Amino acid sequence: PKNNRHMRVGCDGGAYETYDRAENWAYMANLPLTQFYRVSVDNSIPFYFVYGGTQDNNSQGGPSRTRSRAGITNEDWFITVGGDGYETQVDPEDPNIVYSQWQYGGLVRHDRRSGETVDIKPREKPGEEPYRWNWDSPLLLSPHSAKRLYFAGNRLFRSDDGGNSWKAISGDLTRQLDRNALEVMGRIQNVDAVAKNDSTSIFGNCVALSESPLVEGLIYIGTDDGLVQVTENGGESWRKISVFPRVPDMTYVSFLTASGLDADTVYAAFDNHKNGDFAPYILRSSDRGETWEFVSGDLPERDVVYAIQEDHVDSNLLFAGTEFGAYYTQDGGEHWTKLGGVPTIAVRDVEIQRRENDVVLGTFGRGFYVLDDYTPLRAANQELLESDAAVFPVKDALLYIPTNRLGGSSGRGSQGASYYVAPNPPYGAVFTYYLKEKLTTRREKRKEAEKKAEKDGRSAAYPTIEELRAEDEEKDPSVVLIVRDASGDVVRRVSGSREKGVHRTSWNLRYPASTPTRLKPPADLPPWVEPPSGPLALPGKYTVSLANEIDGVTTSLTDPVEFNVVPLELATFAAKDREAVMAFRAKLARLQRAVRGALRAGGEIDDRLAHVRKAIVDTPDADEALITEADGLRGRLSGLQTRLRGDRTRSRRNEPTPPSINGRVQNVVSSQWNATSAPTKTEQDAYRHAGTEFAEALGELRALADDLEKLEAKLEAAGAPWTPGRIPQWEME
């Protein structure tokens, strides 16, 4: 109130702020608020694109995933046409050809290559009655021809040349009612009513459209005044359906989808919320609309259905978008389950990317959601759920090097929290598995038994000290997914959740890191440093199986499930002989393991020597010559560490420093672990130089360790206090 030049606004574009009374606005770019009416997908390779139409913020498209470590950013998205956006269709053979629209039937052909946009909306001929277009007009690319478009107002239009020309293949498909004669809020409103007919569709037009993928010319049309029209001959004749079981008369037909598995089956969803009726209406016809059955099952009674899709493999697996979320059914519509991970939000459209088996949701207020690889829903039958454990089929894992376009190990670089990124799907092979029961610890079992006893009104048995000790000393049971190559050799062990139910985890297509073992992952790494990892595995066939470890015993729970690692082949200088490159990386990893281990061992010797020297000073009977011996060992260690890790005296003073053994190795590792190309001559030389130097240094380190043990034995004989690495000697007197 004290500064009227500072304002904030929230609108259907998001949140904005101005400090100069609206001359300039700052946009809050990190809020996922987009309102999508429709969603569609293309067949782009290697990653498909998602398209949708927004409220007042254009029709847009963007990738379902990127190669960037950051994820999917705002700049990955592009506008195909302005206005309020609606249905988009993409040429299945050339994903650069995008058909987009805005309200009232505005239709364009967008060229992603050039960015050009051409108007292709069907236009009236002289003397024709004006066409009536919905705010959200149905648009369809025929599954039988990549250049055949269907577009519907109050009539259905067809183009066989990508929208260059159109032909009407129907008459008026609506009830042809006079909207001004219909009651609104209980009475017919007069012509001067506030905002009468503003910002709304002209009543009496088509709003749903589907063509059978199995029968060319079998087309279903739904209207806003409650009709389903069917043609079985490409529009030569039409059959009108106006009555549906349990659906009120004139209910808006929100969605139609013809089955891709049965030529005679079609699904319909109806939306009657404008009449105060929020019931979910999903119907299925098995005879091309002649008769219908109700398949809303146990959906919540006040959850309007906007969209319905059938799985392209299992006709009993359906997905529905509703006012309050998304649901799926595995029994054809009798029982429905809400999809988790989606907020309580209107899901206005549902699409299936068939190549990837992904479900994509268009929400009105939180953008798009993608359920990656829903194939486990096909396999999750009663028989599987009664088994103790199962690994679901694994889709092909794409092998490539994620990019750091913005820098930093996370890929986000220095952009800060206001830079919006949507997460990519997990990189590598994604494993979905099932556990019938949780793997419980002894303590968890005891606590559960105590709860049951309390519930039954009895006292639980008090545990013995031996039982409590077993609890204290127990290592928690664990679940591990074991990855093997085509030869059956173990490549990686991936940890998983031990909770009951369905879980997902992923393998990053790499061998384990050769760096020293840590009980906890490194914390607080600088943003430019990546966590330790091993080299990439080779393309080819792999298997994964599920096992558990209980009390140190590993037990296999499932048979191996086969999957493929498939390279994207993006590199200009990709290695021609992958096996030879893998052999080089394997020996490089072995050298790295030894060098990094020697560095840690040197650090431990350094610590032991510091304790030894202090213990000599603290031991009255110790020979003072032991201090000279300890300092001599310290001097030998310092020279070794300089060769292993570099000359810190020179580097602290910014003087030119010769490459260390570890520096040579790490330079090659950081390059080879993040490339698909063969090692350069320089890298091969670096390996050879480092290996030759390290062989000598390792011998000296072992000799030093032996001499240290001899010194520690002298300390023990002198009765020195304990020091690290030494077990005290003692006998009863």
Side-chain angles (χ1 to χ4, degrees), residues 83-115:
D84 291 80
Y86 292 101
E87 188 75 46
T88 297
Q89 294 284 281
V90 185
D91 190 310
E93 298 172 359
D94 183 356
N96 288 297
I97 301 175
V98 181
Y99 302 95
S100 296
Q101 59 170 310
W102 72 95
Q103 65 265 44
Y104 297 132
L107 183 62
V108 301
R109 185 176 62 233
H110 176 79
D111 185 342
R112 272 179 53 193
R113 289 188 188 88
S114 67

Side-chain angles (χ1 to χ4, degrees), residues 36 51-52 54 56-62 74-83 85 88 98 100 108 110-112 115-117:
F36 279 107
Y51 291 86
T54 71
D56 245 355
N57 282 267
N58 317 299
S59 284
Q60 306 184 18
N74 286 338
E75 66 181 297
D76 291 316
W77 288 79
F78 50 89
I79 304 300
T80 58
V81 69
T88 297
V98 181
S100 296
V108 301
H110 176 79
D111 185 342
R112 272 179 53 193
E116 297 173 4
T117 297

Side-chain angles (χ1 to χ4, degrees), residues 658-670:
S660 67
I661 295 171
N662 183 59
R664 291 186 191 277
V665 173
Q666 288 306 117
N667 284 338
V668 183
V669 164
S670 63

Side-chain angles (χ1 to χ4, degrees), residues 413-531:
S414 56
Q415 297 302 306
S418 65
Y419 188 76
Y420 179 74
V421 293
N424 277 322
Y427 173 83
V430 177
F431 306 134
T432 308
Y433 67 95
Y434 166 75
L435 292 176
K436 185 177 182 181
E437 299 294 341
K438 176 183 178 179
L439 299 184
T440 52
T441 65
R442 289 177 171 84
R443 184 176 187 275
E444 289 168 340
K445 289 177 181 175
R446 172 174 61 80
K447 299 293 286 184
E448 191 61 36
E450 290 171 349
K451 284 182 183 178
K452 187 175 187 306
E454 183 179 353
K455 184 178 180 181
D456 295 343
R458 56 184 176 80
S459 297
Y462 196 85
T464 66
I465 289 297
E466 288 72 20
E467 289 170 335
L468 292 174
R469 182 174 289 110
E471 287 184 13
D472 293 342
E473 296 177 354
E474 180 183 23
K475 182 183 181 299
D476 287 357
S478 61
V479 164
V480 62
L481 292 109
I482 303 172
V483 181
R484 291 181 170 86
D485 61 20
S487 300
D489 297 327
V490 174
V491 174
R492 195 72 182 267
R493 293 180 176 89
V494 181
S495 298
S497 170
R498 61 184 174 92
E499 298 290 329
K500 68 182 294 186
V502 177
H503 305 280
R504 267 189 170 160
T505 188
S506 61
W507 169 45
N508 65 357
L509 308 185
R510 291 183 178 272
Y511 285 84
S514 300
T515 50
T517 296
R518 292 176 178 266
L519 297 181
K520 294 182 179 179
D524 300 326
L525 286 174
W528 55 86
V529 175
E530 296 183 15

Side-chain angles (χ1 to χ4, degrees), residues 333-622:
E334 186 174 350
H335 301 97
W336 292 84
T337 302
K338 196 168 189 178
L339 284 173
V342 181
T344 302
I345 192 70
V347 176
R348 297 296 295 265
D349 201 4
V350 179
E351 184 61 278
I352 294 175
Q353 215 294 338
R354 288 161 175 76
R355 184 189 72 212
E356 302 296 333
N357 294 293
D358 290 356
V359 170
V360 188
L361 310 178
T363 77
F364 202 71
R366 291 299 300 277
F368 292 129
Y369 282 81
V370 181
L371 173 58
D372 302 296
D373 186 20
Y374 67 82
T375 54
L377 293 179
R378 296 182 191 140
N381 53 36
Q382 195 60 39
E383 180 182 355
L384 181 143
L385 297 177
E386 288 174 358
S387 64
D388 292 333
V391 176
F392 292 95
V394 182
K395 71 185 296 185
D396 288 353
L398 300 179
L399 179 67
Y400 59 93
I401 304 296
T403 63
N404 278 357
R405 183 174 59 86
L406 299 172
S409 60
S410 69
R412 196 170 188 168
S414 56
Q415 297 302 306
S418 65
Y419 188 76
Y420 179 74
V421 293
N424 277 322
Y427 173 83
V430 177
F431 306 134
T432 308
Y433 67 95
Y434 166 75
L435 292 176
K436 185 177 182 181
E437 299 294 341
K438 176 183 178 179
L439 299 184
T440 52
T441 65
R442 289 177 171 84
R443 184 176 187 275
E444 289 168 340
K445 289 177 181 175
R446 172 174 61 80
K447 299 293 286 184
E448 191 61 36
E450 290 171 349
K451 284 182 183 178
K452 187 175 187 306
E454 183 179 353
K455 184 178 180 181
D456 295 343
R458 56 184 176 80
S459 297
Y462 196 85
T464 66
I465 289 297
E466 288 72 20
E467 289 170 335
L468 292 174
R469 182 174 289 110
E471 287 184 13
D472 293 342
E473 296 177 354
E474 180 183 23
K475 182 183 181 299
D476 287 357
S478 61
V479 164
V480 62
L481 292 109
I482 303 172
V483 181
R484 291 181 170 86
D485 61 20
S487 300
D489 297 327
V490 174
V491 174
R492 195 72 182 267
R493 293 180 176 89
V494 181
S495 298
S497 170
R498 61 184 174 92
E499 298 290 329
K500 68 182 294 186
V502 177
H503 305 280
R504 267 189 170 160
T505 188
S506 61
W507 169 45
N508 65 357
L509 308 185
R510 291 183 178 272
Y511 285 84
S514 300
T515 50
T517 296
R518 292 176 178 266
L519 297 181
K520 294 182 179 179
D524 300 326
L525 286 174
W528 55 86
V529 175
E530 296 183 15
S533 68
L536 281 170
L538 288 172
K541 289 191 178 298
Y542 292 80
T543 64
V544 61
S545 58
L546 190 67
N548 64 24
E549 182 197 319
I550 301 175
D551 292 335
V553 178
T554 300
T555 304
S556 180
L557 299 177
T558 67
D559 292 331
V561 173
E562 200 172 81
F563 65 98
N564 298 306
V565 173
V566 180
L568 285 188
E569 306 288 14
L570 298 174
T572 303
F573 302 105
K576 294 181 173 61
D577 187 345
R578 289 196 178 99
E579 298 286 348
V581 172
M582 190 70 244
F584 175 81
R585 290 174 180 172
K587 68 181 185 180
L588 177 62
R590 290 192 291 271
L591 177 58
Q592 183 196 36
R593 181 197 70 85
V595 170
R596 295 293 291 273
L599 282 169
R600 287 286 291 273
E604 290 178 356
I605 289 174
D606 195 10
D607 182 66
R608 287 165 65 184
L609 280 170
H611 282 81
V612 162
R613 198 181 195 287
K614 179 69 166 56
I616 294 171
V617 173
D618 292 342
T619 304
D621 294 339

Side-chain angles (χ1 to χ4, degrees), residues 296-313:
S296 298
D298 55 2
L299 282 171
E301 62 181 16
R302 289 176 60 82
D303 204 348
V304 177
V305 177
Y306 296 122
I308 179 80
Q309 289 287 358
E310 177 194 61
D311 178 39
H312 50 287
V313 174

